Amino acid sequence: MLDHTDMRILEELSKNSRIKMKELGEKVHLTGQAAASRVAKLEDNGVIEGYSITVNQAKLDCFLHAFIYIYSHDIHHQPFLSFVKTQDQFILNNYKISGDGCYLLECRFPSNEYLNEFLENLNKFANYKISTVISKMD
């Protein structure tokens, strides 16, 4: 069971996973060594599964942000899933969903031309409905 200190550690690590253990300890009222020990325990227990980075896609010239609802042609989804694996340069996330559609793709494209080509290839495996992002609300 996680205590209040563990929850604060997770909160601080989610803000900055590269924080120095001494600084983390100061933020959660522990020594750096005690904070490091707590983090190691959270990792060993599988609470912390890994660390990641957030990439600014616009800085990579991927200006077009889209959400694509997927409607599979038939009950065999493997051809679609195989196609998705080849498109990792555009697909940020692939969610299996219930409700409206079978899957929801979150994608980034450098231009409408890339988006159009992606959709033409996608249409060989599934129908879709697309929404593009105007701006992110904070």
Side-chain angles (χ1 to χ4, degrees), residues 119-133:
L119 293 175
E120 286 175 355
N121 291 324
L122 171 63
N123 208 224
K124 297 171 188 169
F125 307 101
N127 292 326
Y128 60 85
K129 181 171 64 174
I130 183 169
S131 295
T132 57
V133 175

Side-chain angles (χ1 to χ4, degrees), residues 61-70 83 87 89-91 105-123 128-133:
D61 295 329
C62 289
F63 302 104
L64 191 62
H65 190 184
F67 288 90
I68 305 171
Y69 286 89
I70 303 299
F83 167 74
Q87 301 298 308
Q89 73 271 31
F90 302 123
I91 299 173
L105 302 179
E106 181 181 8
C107 302
R108 287 280 194 161
F109 300 95
S111 68
N112 282 328
E113 291 77 20
Y114 281 92
L115 170 60
N116 187 56
E117 182 179 342
F118 175 85
L119 293 175
E120 286 175 355
N121 291 324
L122 171 63
N123 208 224
Y128 60 85
K129 181 171 64 174
I130 183 169
S131 295
T132 57
V133 175

Side-chain angles (χ1 to χ4, degrees), residues 30-78:
L30 295 172
T31 65
Q33 185 176 0
S37 177
R38 289 269 192 137
V39 170
K41 184 178 175 186
L42 290 167
E43 292 170 344
D44 291 344
N45 290 335
V47 175
I48 297 174
E49 293 181 336
Y51 298 89
S52 64
I53 61 170
T54 302
V55 176
N56 183 329
Q57 295 290 324
K59 300 269 185 190
L60 298 177
D61 295 329
C62 289
F63 302 104
L64 191 62
H65 190 184
F67 288 90
I68 305 171
Y69 286 89
I70 303 299
Y71 304 88
S72 181
H73 291 314
D74 58 40
I75 61 171
H76 303 291
H77 296 183
Q78 195 54 50

Side-chain angles (χ1 to χ4, degrees), residues 14-32:
S14 68
K15 291 178 192 173
N16 177 8
S17 62
R18 296 184 65 186
I19 191 171
K20 303 273 189 249
M21 289 298 117
K22 180 180 179 190
E23 184 181 347
L24 176 62
E26 290 170 1
K27 289 181 179 272
V28 299
H29 308 293
L30 295 172
T31 65

